[in-house]
Amino acid sequence: MKNYKISDNVIRRLPRYLRLLDEIIADGTKRISSGEMASLMGLTASQIRQDFNCFGGFGQQGYGYNTEMLREAVASIMGLNNGYTAVIVGVGNLGHALLRNFDFGSCGFELKAAFDVNANLVGDTMAGIPIYDSNGLVDYIKENDIDLALLSVPKTTAKPMAEKLCSIPIKAIWNFTNVELTAPGSDTLIESIHFSDSLMTLGYYLNGHREDHN
Amino acid sequence: MKNYKISDNVIRRLPRYLRLLDEIIADGTKRISSGEMASLMGLTASQIRQDFNCFGGFGQQGYGYNTEMLREAVASIMGLNNGYTAVIVGVGNLGHALLRNFDFGSCGFELKAAFDVNANLVGDTMAGIPIYDSNGLVDYIKENDIDLALLSVPKTTAKPMAEKLCSIPIKAIWNFTNVELTAPGSDTLIESIHFSDSLMTLGYYLNGHREDHN
DNA sequence: TAGATTGTTAATCGATTAACAATC
DNA sequence: TAGATTGTTAATCGATTAACAATC
């Protein structure tokens, strides 16, 4: 593993490689060349080889890449076997849907608990996940050494809650609140899913600028 | 409006500008310089001026930008006033949550209807939105000239459903299925929200590579 | 071995940053 | 007017693509 900075562009292609590899492994494909991957994904073979060589050589000249070995290498880079732990903060419609639907395990995370202020929810168990009172959140994170908080509270409480989490500090926040969050003076990583940014981007391309999306 | 290609990087910053502008307009700020925006957003003043100048000059030398004018300019570029129409395809947990929670209007879209195969849901109205049988989806889109389908069906039906939508063709698909979709031979725009890509990226940065996220 | 395909260096392309003249 | 800040051109930086020697 090299020490120089690997660009975020490369990192964000890794999950796509993983997705492709899972698909072709399920089909029984044992080996693949960078050229084949390229045409399946709409990238160049050069770029794919460059990407993997940021982390070391996973291929073999004249042969290509062993799909299962490559899959394991990418999984390991992404920390999929690190047993990260997560909690959900805010069990409204969206938190609820993610709790029930989202496969944390396939991303290397174990969902341990959920937290809400709503007394009607507190004490319940949903899909095997206990829902606790938000008052106990900070202590729970400290005591159980939780890595990540999925933040799905209402917009109005997003910033104070994020600040509280950063001050623990928790290692990472996965932000679904559609509020721009920063972690000044804290090491907490913040990764946001901004639904509206994504939809507005589509609005732009629908707005007569469709030449070149995808 | 220029005719050369504007990069996707620029487009994806526009919603962030909009978010900032909404925030400072709410605070009563009437004008702002590129330098002030830059420090609030962690960008450079140069980049901000370059971004806006892709679409024409919205500022005034010696003064800066009028926040409300700039907000309107960005909104117009993103097509926020175009009255786009949308339907939800698949009313499971996630589709349900988006139907109830997500503010389509603030992105320039009007949610018209939802579709599902589940007979228990068909005929209901949720948050003012009727739920119809999926059998009627294609006709509904054609007859009502729907611009966008939010795709939140189970993984297994994602590809065939996407193909069906592309063959109409619908103008855009907003893909929440976590399946890689393409629209070969069709003009349909596809924009995907891959939750797991986002979470795996966090996994990477948690995995001892934290130097430089954000 | 000959053919294929990687790993890696070099060339190109595009995006960001810096600089500054124009101008409000 | 003088000061401030844009719009825009030029310089830099980084990412992608091309080329090819290494090697399985």
Side-chain angles (χ1 to χ4, degrees), chain A residues 26-42:
Chain A
D27 290 349
T29 305
K30 297 289 184 207
R31 56 178 272 202
I32 192 164
S33 69
S34 56
E36 290 169 307
M37 289 189 74
S39 76
L40 286 169
M41 298 180 70

Side-chain angles (χ1 to χ4, degrees), chain A residues 150-171:
Chain A
L150 185 167
L151 194 62
S152 53
V153 297
K155 263 195 172 63
T156 44
T157 46
K159 272 196 182 173
M161 183 57 87
E163 278 161 24
K164 196 199 272 193
L165 289 163
C166 289
S167 73
I168 298 178
I170 197 164
K171 298 202 192 83

Side-chain angles (χ1 to χ4, degrees), chain B residues 5-209:
Chain B
K5 183 191 184 312
I6 289 159
S7 89
D8 196 58
N9 289 5
V10 173
I11 306 312
R12 291 184 190 271
R13 279 193 292 270
L14 296 178
R16 294 187 57 204
Y17 294 134
L18 203 67
R19 205 136 18 96
L20 178 75
L21 288 165
D22 283 338
E23 204 173 297
I24 64 177
I25 286 168
D27 290 349
T29 306
K30 296 289 183 207
R31 56 177 273 205
I32 193 165
S33 68
S34 55
E36 290 169 307
M37 290 188 74
S39 75
L40 288 169
M41 297 180 71
L43 303 173
T44 66
S46 240
Q47 181 167 53
I48 290 174
R49 294 203 300 278
Q50 290 274 30
D51 282 355
F52 292 145
N53 282 103
C54 291
F55 303 99
F58 305 132
Q60 191 173 315
Q61 277 112 328
Y63 174 86
Y65 298 86
N66 176 300
T67 50
E68 283 173 19
M69 271 179 45
L70 185 58
R71 199 250 173 237
E72 279 320 298
V74 176
S76 153
I77 293 164
M78 307 247 83
L80 255 54
N81 310 309
N82 290 15
Y84 298 126
T85 51
V87 295
I88 291 180
V89 182
V91 189
N93 282 307
L94 184 61
H96 191 156
L98 291 164
L99 190 160
R100 289 200 116 86
N101 266 349
F102 184 72
D103 187 356
F104 287 84
S106 72
C107 296
F109 286 78
E110 189 189 346
L111 180 61
K112 292 287 201 180
F115 291 83
D116 204 286
V117 293
N118 182 346
N120 294 328
L121 292 170
V122 171
D124 278 10
T125 297
M126 269 182 191
I129 305 299
I131 303 179
Y132 299 128
D133 190 294
S134 292
N135 288 330
L137 175 62
V138 170
D139 287 342
Y140 184 93
I141 289 171
K142 283 183 189 164
E143 282 162 22
N144 296 278
D145 198 21
I146 299 297
D147 297 304
L148 175 122
L150 186 167
L151 193 62
S152 51
V153 297
K155 263 196 173 62
T156 44
T157 47
K159 271 195 181 172
M161 182 56 87
E163 278 161 25
K164 194 199 271 193
L165 290 163
C166 288
S167 72
I168 299 178
I170 196 162
K171 298 201 192 83
I173 293 175
W174 197 21
N175 171 34
F176 281 78
T177 64
N178 203 36
V179 170
E180 194 105 12
L181 296 178
T182 51
S186 141
D187 286 341
T188 299
L189 296 166
I190 297 179
E191 165 81 13
S192 298
I193 298 226
H194 286 305
F195 294 108
S196 56
D197 288 21
S198 170
L199 184 54
M200 283 185 201
T201 303
L202 263 182
Y204 170 82
Y205 286 108
L206 281 171
N207 194 7
H209 321 277

